Amino acid sequence: MGRKLDPTQKVKRGPGRKARKQRGAEQELLRFLPPDPEDDARKLSSHARRRAAKRRIKAARPPAGKTAGALQDSPAPGEPLLKGAKKRAASQDGRPDGFSDDNAAWLTPSSAKQRPKPEESEEEAFSGSEGQEEPSESDGEEGSDDGMVDDYGALSSGDEELLPIERAAQEQKGQDLSEENSEEEDDDEDEEKEPPKQDETQETDLQLNPPDLQLIHQRIKDNIEVLQNFGTKREEGRSRQEYLTLLRQDLAMYYSYSDFLIGKMMELFPLSELVDFLESNEVSRPVTLRTNTLKTRRRDLAQALINRGVNLDPLGKWSKTGLVVYDSSVPIGATPEYLAGHYMLQGASSLLPVMALAPQENERILDMCCAPGGKTSYIAQLMKNTGVILANDSNVERLQSVVGNLHRLGVTNVVVSRCDGRQFPKVLGGFDRVLLDAPCSGTGVIAKDPTVKTNK
């Protein structure tokens, strides 16, 4: 039934016209063609590879009916128009037929983008009769890198082919770089033209020429001596305000204070006490702690801390519970005695308000600003956990430290509240004693925190 095909005689078909237009058509065509020995001689561009593949296809498949040799030899009137036109042109101009070195000059193409062709064969001439002149294979190999015109009408190189959008991006990038360089040059010129500010010039002068502190200190002493006896020691033509202004600047520079804070201290202290106060703030103060007599005695606490490598002494004759710590080999705020509530880290000056209050047992006492709880626990210690203490503070966050310290120290007669102190007579009254240690500016802790000098 029907003819049977012999698979051994089946001719393989190459890709059609549509497949050639797709990307990678030259790779698909190479599978059906004999290998070209000159393929590995030099790497071609994509356009040169397409043209070489087309030339090999046409050379392997001559046109049906007539070969290239028959077309060359037969002078029949039905020969192709191109060849007849070439013969007529040669007979009219008196030039020989075909392509040779003699007529290479008048065969040079008019376009500057195409290179002049060398001598080529009749087969290549016939293949170019379709309306597009194909360069020879040697031209594709040698001229693919130089002078090859791509699909966009620009010269393409074999190493890299840029699309118009890529070329435009490179140009835009170059323009941006040139603009940035010009802006930087303009900024440098503006900086050179702008004069430096006065503050900057003063800072640079201080860095290049640091002040002589000994000279400033001697000038402070001389100015204070003149101001104390201004009528007899002042220079003629200089007012008291000039001496005060110079003294204020020297004090701010020598002790590293802000001009505002030095001015306030000069209003508070007389000149004879001002320098003593500033000098006392430069001396570091030792750590002091208060013994919690609700749980231990000062002698036992001192012996336990000495055994742990703490160097301490009694605070003074005026205090029965205070201890001063000079140095310690262990963190003084993390010892077992501290965690057990045997002592409280507290400044010596904060003991004086409670001693002045002199609370008695079984009394009702109001501590209006209790945080962080050092004075409140000292009042409870003097009252021996009797009576009632109302610990109040308007800040909720600070009350957390108050509650923690009271639990650690074993205080049981304290009620913690958060109210405005101005409304206490209406909220709750009937107190025997009231302690108000109002929050202050914090300038008394300069010895512990030197940043206060410039922050205030």
Side-chain angles (χ1 to χ4, degrees), residues 366-415:
L366 170 63
D367 188 359
M368 198 170 292
C369 301
C370 64
K375 299 180 183 67
T376 304
S377 60
Y378 191 20
I379 295 172
Q381 175 181 321
L382 295 178
M383 295 174 62
K384 299 180 181 179
N385 264 342
T386 61
V388 177
I389 302 173
L390 183 60
N392 178 74
D393 200 283
S394 60
N395 193 339
V396 181
E397 296 179 355
R398 301 190 67 187
L399 285 176
Q400 297 178 359
S401 61
V402 175
V403 174
N405 286 325
L406 293 178
H407 283 294
R408 182 177 59 84
L409 297 172
V411 178
T412 58
N413 63 339
V414 176
V415 179

Side-chain angles (χ1 to χ4, degrees), residues 57-72:
I57 291 173
K58 293 176 181 178
R61 295 181 182 180
K66 291 184 179 181
T67 62
L71 289 173
Q72 184 178 1

